[in-house]
Amino acid sequence: MAYIFPEPSRTFSEYLLVPGYSSAECIPDRVSLKTPLVKFKKGEEPAISMNIPLVSAIMQAVSDDNLAVSLAKEGGVSFIYGSQSIESQAAMVARAKSYKAGFVASDSNITPETTLNEVLALKEETGHSTMPVTEDGTGNGKLVGIVTSRDYRVSRMTGEEKVASFMTPIEKLITAPAGTTLKEANDIIWDHKLNALPIVDDEGRLVHMVFRKDYDSHKNNPLELLDSHKKYVVGAGINTRDYEERVPALLKAGADVLCIDSSEGFSEWQKRTLAWVRENYGDTVKVGAGNVVDGEGFRFLAECGADFIKVGIGGGSICITREQKGIGRGQATALIDVCKERDKYYEETGIYIPVCSDGGIVHDYHFTLALAMGADFLMLGRYFARFDEAPGRRVSVGGTYMKEYWGEGSSRARNWQRYDMGGAKKLSFEEGVDSYVPYAGSLKDNVGLTLSKVRSTMCNCGALTIPELQKNAKLTLVSATSIVEGGAHDVVLKENTLSSNN
């Protein structure tokens, strides 16, 4: 008969952290959430570390170039989805990598022949009031002027006026040459009391814009994750079918780290993919693998050469693998099992392979539980899909704003490569759903709030770093009754009483 695990598989909601001793030094402002993204040898530093333990899921509804930049500003890494053409994915990576911190590639461009009505329509569409005027209307055309809201008065104009008649021409603009550093650009902005500074090359073509408002933004992102060239760190997903063409294209576009996107990682297909990467690039290319749910799966991928290993099958909010196929394991149990094997592997080899917990996160306190159970970082889909920066459309459903969110195993995504088992190139049946999630606003605000809870809880456990949390944390299983006790109970909430009286 089949092997049967002696213990039931459990979820994060079945555990609580028990407080430990908190010294006077243990305050949230002193907590460091820095964590390794890729494997390293004992006594050495990892090639890539993150400043927060969060990465975004390899999903169409979550990770594009826009979210990649936004998450890197907060200190994490986005894995741009691979269920698209190689050219399209590489272009997303290139756009994210070309976004230099503080330097903005202009996406609101006009020509001298553009009318005021067209300017107003573009302003309504993008929200941008500063628009470079280039000869061809592109973001890297020859700069001939700039239009801002100070250049026109709608009440005194017909709307048919050409931009050439009211723009501020190039000869009256202050610009800076390509190669100007961010500090130099900000000095020019402050010295000349500018709101925006165009950066142009030797031929007068627009390269970037630097805005006064972004100076404060740069100061407000002390944890932003940059590479050695001061560009944002960006990840990308690959599959086990077209890696020989996709990997070179993504590396050429500038991807810092790759991850095999698969529903199940304990397979010959991932072994082949990792072997090809190592044969052609050695250890210079960093590739994560997964997903697995037990120590045996971890050991397999570790020996195949994975740089980090993802844990979780069937625990995602839009994943229906468990009900469709009966495959998976409770996320908490899977994570604990894999992390035990990770530590054992480290003792045997001196090589530390970070573990990524992928799925099963419902509440903010689950973040801290996952870290305490051994995860080095978390991969999140639903969490990020709710934000402005995610690709899904914001729609009104029953008077409430929602964001579209669909699984890679849904018919909408058609990502058969993720569920590839060497057969026909199609989805035989769905393993994900198409859904909505409550709209939550900006990524920065929400990530800041979530991580403030994590830091506070870590202090309750007497830990100032993630390794300290993993070493010192105490976990207890909770009964169904104690779960009820943990929320508001045996009272009538005021807000419910007030709303029923209105």
Side-chain angles (χ1 to χ4, degrees), residues 207-487:
V207 179
H208 289 108
M209 295 290 292
V210 180
F211 294 93
R212 175 187 288 264
K213 63 181 176 63
D214 287 338
Y215 175 82
D216 293 330
S217 174
H218 189 61
K219 291 293 185 182
N220 289 335
N221 296 314
L223 296 178
E224 60 186 359
L225 193 60
L226 305 173
D227 64 16
S228 59
H229 301 289
K230 303 298 181 184
K231 296 182 178 182
Y232 289 122
V233 174
V234 178
I238 61 174
N239 61 67
T240 57
R241 282 272 185 162
D242 63 10
Y243 52 85
E244 294 185 17
E245 294 79 34
R246 192 174 293 269
V247 169
L250 295 174
L251 296 176
K252 183 178 180 181
D256 298 279
V257 58
L258 306 174
C259 184
I260 301 173
D261 180 28
S262 174
S263 64
E264 204 274 298
F266 198 171
S267 74
E268 175 72 17
W269 311 110
Q270 296 220 4
K271 182 178 180 179
R272 292 183 186 181
T273 305
L274 289 166
W276 182 87
V277 171
R278 295 295 168 241
E279 180 182 344
N280 287 274
Y281 297 98
D283 290 328
T284 60
V285 173
K286 307 303 179 184
V287 187
N291 289 21
V292 298
V293 291
D294 64 4
E296 188 180 2
F298 173 90
R299 177 72 62 156
F300 171 78
L301 289 176
E303 292 175 350
C304 288
D307 284 293
F308 65 85
I309 294 173
K310 290 201 298 162
V311 177
I313 294 177
S317 61
I318 40 70
C319 184
I320 54 174
T321 294
R322 294 181 192 175
E323 66 181 64
Q324 289 280 52
K325 297 167 65 175
I327 292 287
R329 200 177 190 189
Q331 187 67 10
T333 300
L335 184 59
I336 292 169
D337 193 357
V338 168
C339 289
K340 284 181 180 177
E341 190 66 24
R342 186 265 320 276
D343 294 343
K344 182 179 177 182
Y345 185 85
Y346 180 53
E347 290 176 7
E348 294 173 4
T349 66
I351 298 173
Y352 187 91
I353 302 178
V355 166
C356 169
S357 180
D358 178 16
I361 298 290
V362 179
H363 306 292
D364 283 353
Y365 79 90
H366 289 171
F367 287 59
T368 321
L369 282 171
L371 296 173
M373 290 172 181
D376 295 282
F377 56 95
L378 317 179
M379 178 171 277
L380 304 159
R382 179 195 62 85
Y383 179 82
F384 287 116
R386 303 173 303 143
F387 303 149
D388 289 319
E389 295 82 357
R393 290 186 307 151
R394 188 178 74 169
V395 296
S396 178
V397 179
T400 300
Y401 278 117
M402 311 286 281
K403 289 275 286 191
E404 293 180 318
Y405 181 44
W406 60 98
E408 290 297 292
S410 67
S411 59
R412 176 172 180 174
R414 300 185 181 279
N415 186 7
W416 64 268
Q417 293 98 330
R418 189 175 199 276
Y419 303 86
D420 183 26
M421 298 184 73
K425 298 180 180 181
K426 65 178 183 177
L427 276 175
S428 299
F429 52 87
E430 289 187 289
E431 293 189 43
V433 299
D434 195 349
S435 64
Y436 297 108
V437 289
Y439 168 66
S442 75
L443 180 149
K444 182 177 182 62
D445 291 343
N446 284 276
V447 167
L449 177 59
T450 295
L451 294 183
S452 70
K453 296 178 185 179
V454 172
R455 292 185 179 96
S456 180
T457 306
M458 286 174 63
C459 287
N460 292 142
C461 297
L464 287 173
T465 66
I466 292 173
E468 284 183 14
L469 177 68
Q470 293 166 345
K471 179 182 178 182
N472 300 329
K474 296 178 291 184
L475 292 162
T476 181
L477 280 167
V478 295
S479 67
T481 305
S482 66
I483 292 174
V484 174
E485 179 188 64

Side-chain angles (χ1 to χ4, degrees), residues 102-106 130-132 139 143 145-146 148 150 170 172-201 205-215:
F103 291 85
V104 180
S106 178
T130 298
M131 301 179 188
L143 186 67
I146 271 186
T148 73
R150 294 177 298 177
I170 184 69
K172 293 186 178 181
L173 292 177
I174 294 173
T175 63
T180 299
T181 67
L182 185 60
K183 182 181 184 306
E184 291 169 340
N186 283 319
D187 286 343
I188 295 171
I189 286 173
W190 286 96
D191 290 344
H192 295 275
K193 300 180 179 180
L194 305 175
N195 287 322
L197 176 69
I199 308 295
V200 297
D201 64 17
R205 294 184 174 276
L206 181 64
V207 179
H208 289 108
M209 295 290 292
V210 180
F211 294 93
R212 175 187 288 264
K213 63 181 176 63
D214 287 338
Y215 175 82

Side-chain angles (χ1 to χ4, degrees), residues 107-160:
D107 61 358
S108 295
N109 307 290
I110 52 180
T111 74
E113 295 300 306
T114 302
T115 66
L116 175 59
N117 282 334
E118 291 171 326
V119 168
L120 296 175
L122 185 59
K123 180 181 178 181
E124 179 70 21
E125 177 185 341
T126 65
H128 301 156
S129 58
T130 298
M131 301 179 188
V133 185
T134 59
E135 286 185 347
D136 59 3
T138 66
N140 59 1
K142 187 171 182 179
L143 186 67
V144 295
I146 271 186
V147 166
T148 73
S149 55
R150 294 177 298 177
D151 291 315
Y152 55 84
R153 293 184 67 178
V154 177
S155 61
R156 296 190 177 185
M157 301 171 74
T158 66
E160 297 302 319

